[in-house]
Amino acid sequence: MGMGRTDHKHYARSNRRTSVMKVSRSVICLIILPLVTLTFSGCNSPTNSIVNWKNLTTEQKLEDFRYLFQAFKDNHGKLAMIKRMYGYDWVAHEKEFEEEVRKTKDDREFAYVIDKILDSLNDGHTWLVSPAEWTVYCTNPLFYHLTRKVPAEAVTYWYELASGRPRDYRVFPALYFEGEYVVVVDVTLEDCRAKPGWVVTRVNDIEVDNFVVQQGKHLRYDPVRRKPYSPILGLPISGKVKLTFRNASGTYVEGEVVSSYETWPARRYRPPYYSNEDGTWIDDSLFLSVIPGVAGYMHFCRMSSFDEEDLTSVKEFLASVKDLPALIIDVRGNPGGYVSAWQKLVMLLASEPVRYQCHFAPRSGSYVRKLFPRYFEVEKPDFAQEDPELARVLPPEVLTADFHSPFTESTKLLPDPNSLKYAGKIFVLTDYDTYSAADSLAYFSKQTKWATVIGTFTDGGGNGPYATLMPLVLPNSRMLVLFPFALALEPDGRSYEESSRMPDVYVADRETFVKYVNALNNGEKLKSLDPEYDAVLRECLKIIKHSTIPR
């Protein structure tokens, strides 16, 4: 797994809010790495011969739903936080969910409803496990007693059914940028033509932020403005929709949407994207380049595990740039994957061991207690009495019996035997789509000062959840669901998802963003790594040039 020792510590009483952890005991444990992409090879066991996990009766489907609902109600780590951030009380919808399940006519409709119920949480770490991900869990000793009950055929069957769920909204080409929904392509409406850079302010005469929350589709949380948002504006699936725009001159314009815009490549409208000499786009999982005399540049589209070919390329690249003054690691647009990928990179560059910590509070449900008894070996203190300053900043649910004592997980990364011992400055670039294992690189970099993080706030998911995910097997269908059993915390006890995810240097330039999307729309052949169209890269190069942030 590419790491040294992992220590676990419970929060203990402290007189300083910025240092709320002391060691009570240490153990060695396995870090779970669920967000991976492997070739599905199956995991044969005697129980793979289980039959009758499809063509379910109504009662069997209801039994599966009730099992899922109760497990989440007692063990899901983010329910209270989701209610606080999005105003959505998932538990309050039990009867509605149950009725939807009851009305399903076949397995396909049942898979759709279960997927919709999971999706309604708007949590990127709660989902139906894919065949590739199942391979990891069925070989994990910690979960084998659960996953051995899941036939390989059932995983594939239910995942493929759920993947066919039709979209219940239509996308409109407006991306969230610094608190607003900015149009990124020319849009012809009934009464006007919206241009890139225009801002959507109202939908059907409803203020756009309120409309997005009412829709409740793919919500995320902006920790700067402390409000929920959707990365891409979603509109009702059918019928005319009235939109109000603020144009470039500040004038408000109205128009009606009469068609859908399903095919435009949304991610391309956020840098970085690169083109070959002929203008075709490069979308490799790993993009390596050199800014002559300045920096080596690595962009990870996904935090994928290095195969031998990739690892060889990375080592050769790092060796070629080891004498340059800076190294840029770009994880903008990276949805996550292997934590071990960036850990391996750190070890290839490090000259000495690097230790970092993740902090989280586990739910105290019986399912969590059974799988992770080590988190409950220390009695939970009365924080209100013993450490009122800590109690003041902890999320309120952590102070209740629903959660146990906050916990610290400490990991030490050891230099690779062939480490380059890189002496230059290292920079990590982030954006709104940096999530999970990619976000954990940013979190690690800030905590240890290993690198300077530049960009916007991330999408989160990197402080703890990759180590606090657990599978749930539904009793009849054998669907395999993944969910987080803990709430990620900052070192001082605050909720990580709600209060942090910020870079060291915040960069978000509306003018450059609009200039970039206009260049795309005009068919310009953008050259790779062009700071004229990339404000984050431009700021990074400026810092490198002036060396304003020492490493």
Side-chain angles (χ1 to χ4, degrees):
M1 295 214 345
M3 63 181 68
R5 198 179 72 179
T6 300
D7 300 321
H8 302 285
K9 312 170 190 176
H10 284 274
Y11 271 60
R13 184 177 178 181
S14 171
N15 293 322
R16 293 193 303 121
R17 184 163 64 95
T18 56
S19 180
V20 297
M21 291 155 290
K22 294 183 180 179
V23 178
S24 59
R25 65 179 293 160
S26 297
V27 296
I28 306 296
C29 100
L30 177 70
I31 298 292
I32 311 304
L33 301 175
L35 303 182
V36 299
T37 303
L38 297 175
T39 300
F40 178 49
S41 58
C43 192
N44 294 322
S45 70
T47 52
N48 271 10
S49 61
I50 294 175
V51 295
N52 299 328
W53 43 261
K54 58 183 176 179
N55 300 320
L56 302 181
T57 66
T58 298
E59 192 52 47
Q60 287 175 319
K61 289 184 284 188
L62 288 170
E63 185 180 1
D64 272 15
F65 162 71
R66 290 163 184 157
Y67 181 81
L68 168 69
F69 185 88
Q70 194 63 46
F72 275 24
K73 182 179 178 182
D74 296 340
N75 300 275
H76 197 293
K78 296 185 179 182
L79 295 185
M81 183 187 74
I82 288 168
K83 181 179 179 181
R84 191 162 50 245
M85 290 195 305
Y86 305 140
Y88 180 73
D89 187 351
W90 188 84
V91 174
H93 291 265
E94 179 180 9
K95 296 302 181 184
E96 172 192 327
F97 294 152
E98 183 170 311
E99 187 59 25
E100 289 188 58
V101 171
R102 189 185 304 277
K103 290 180 179 178
T104 60
K105 299 180 179 64
D106 53 28
D107 285 354
R108 182 178 299 278
E109 290 186 6
F110 178 56
Y112 287 174
V113 169
I114 292 297
D115 189 57
K116 179 182 175 182
I117 289 170
L118 299 177
D119 200 39
S120 69
L121 282 164
N122 289 297
D123 176 57
H125 279 145
T126 302
W127 74 86
L128 194 63
V129 172
S130 71
E133 293 156 347
W134 175 77
T135 305
V136 176
Y137 285 97
C138 71
T139 56
N140 188 319
L142 182 62
F143 299 128
Y144 180 70
H145 70 288
L146 294 172
T147 55
R148 68 184 179 84
K149 302 175 183 178
V150 183
E153 299 86 355
V155 174
T156 302
Y157 177 77
W158 291 109
Y159 183 79
E160 289 183 351
L161 285 182
S163 298
R165 179 164 69 96
R167 183 181 289 167
D168 56 358
Y169 65 98
R170 50 176 163 165
V171 297
F172 183 80
L175 299 181
Y176 186 81
F177 187 90
E178 292 301 284
E180 296 183 312
Y181 294 90
V182 181
V183 177
V184 295
V185 300
D186 284 313
V187 182
T188 300
L189 299 103
E190 275 200 347
D191 306 303
C192 69
R193 185 175 180 84
K195 298 288 186 180
W198 287 24
V199 174
V200 179
T201 60
R202 301 181 73 83
V203 180
N204 287 336
D205 292 323
I206 302 171
E207 194 275 328
V208 66
D209 287 334
N210 293 334
F211 172 81
V212 167
V213 172
Q214 289 175 19
Q215 288 284 96
K217 308 295 184 186
H218 305 289
L219 296 180
R220 299 180 186 176
Y221 189 73
D222 181 336
V224 176
R225 296 152 195 90
R226 303 193 69 81
K227 68 177 184 180
Y229 72 94
S230 177
I232 305 172
L233 185 60
L235 302 179
I237 196 70
S238 61
K240 292 184 178 181
V241 178
K242 178 183 175 182
L243 297 179
T244 304
F245 302 91
R246 187 181 70 244
N247 65 20
S249 63
T251 302
Y252 289 87
V253 180
E254 293 182 351
E256 287 189 332
V257 177
V258 294
S259 61
S260 180
Y261 295 84
E262 301 286 346
T263 59
W264 60 283
R267 177 60 220 174
R268 185 178 294 180
Y269 287 86
R270 292 195 197 279
Y273 260 77
Y274 321 103
S275 60
N276 296 304
E277 291 183 1
D278 62 359
T280 57
W281 288 98
I282 300 172
D283 189 19
D284 295 330
S285 60
L286 179 62
F287 178 79
L288 306 175
S289 186
V290 177
I291 304 173
V294 178
Y297 175 91
M298 314 175 70
H299 181 240
F300 293 88
C301 296
R302 292 166 292 279
M303 202 58 71
S304 301
S305 176
F306 296 130
D307 58 25
E308 282 301 316
E309 183 177 353
D310 280 345
L311 187 58
T312 298
S313 297
V314 167
K315 288 180 177 179
E316 291 176 352
F317 174 77
L318 292 176
S320 72
V321 300
K322 65 182 178 64
D323 295 325
L324 291 177
L327 176 65
I328 301 171
I329 303 170
D330 195 342
V331 289
R332 289 178 291 174
N334 189 316
Y338 269 125
V339 175
S340 59
W342 67 257
Q343 290 178 335
K344 190 174 295 183
L345 182 62
V346 170
M347 294 186 290
L348 287 171
L349 296 167
S351 57
E352 57 187 27
V354 187
R355 182 183 290 274
Y356 71 103
Q357 297 176 325
C358 290
H359 317 286
F360 53 90
R363 283 293 302 268
S364 55
S366 59
Y367 193 69
V368 180
R369 287 179 176 273
K370 181 178 180 180
L371 287 182
F372 297 97
R374 64 179 178 275
Y375 295 138
F376 304 92
E377 294 172 349
V378 176
E379 184 178 353
K380 182 179 180 179
D382 183 345
F383 290 112
Q385 293 294 323
E386 299 185 30
D387 196 340
E389 189 174 5
L390 175 60
R392 183 176 61 84
V393 297
L394 280 171
E397 63 267 29
V398 177
L399 300 176
T400 71
D402 286 343
F403 281 78
H404 198 62
S405 293
F407 209 76
T408 296
E409 199 160 61
S410 180
T411 300
K412 183 166 66 174
L413 303 180
L414 304 175
D416 186 272
N418 298 313
S419 172
L420 295 173
K421 299 182 179 179
Y422 183 70
K425 296 180 176 66
I426 302 176
F427 299 87
V428 173
L429 309 187
T430 62
D431 70 358
Y432 310 126
D433 295 321
T434 302
Y435 185 66
S436 192
D439 174 56
S440 72
L441 171 60
Y443 175 83
F444 161 84
S445 299
K446 289 188 296 179
Q447 183 186 115
T448 63
K449 308 302 181 185
W450 180 79
T452 299
V453 181
I454 304 176
T456 67
F457 60 84
T458 69
D459 195 21
N463 175 14
Y466 59 85
T468 56
L469 295 171
M470 62 195 305
L472 181 75
V473 181
L474 304 193
N476 296 309
S477 64
R478 301 300 194 271
M479 283 192 202
L480 187 59
V481 174
L482 198 70
F483 71 98
F485 67 83
L487 182 68
L489 303 173
E490 283 289 340
D492 64 1
R494 292 174 299 150
S495 168
Y496 174 73
E497 301 287 344
E498 296 171 86
S499 64
S500 189
R501 299 150 44 204
M502 301 295 290
D504 297 310
V505 180
Y506 199 98
V507 180
D509 185 291
R510 173 74 65 85
E511 183 178 346
T512 302
F513 174 62
V514 175
K515 183 178 182 179
Y516 172 75
V517 300
N518 273 320
L520 295 182
N521 293 328
N522 292 334
E524 295 184 28
K525 295 181 180 179
L526 303 182
K527 64 179 182 179
S528 300
L529 303 179
D530 189 344
E532 180 181 357
Y533 296 103
D534 189 338
V536 175
L537 177 63
R538 183 169 66 236
E539 182 64 22
C540 183
L541 294 177
K542 178 182 176 182
I543 291 172
I544 293 171
K545 179 179 179 180
H546 297 289
S547 300
T548 56
I549 297 182
R551 179 169 176 261

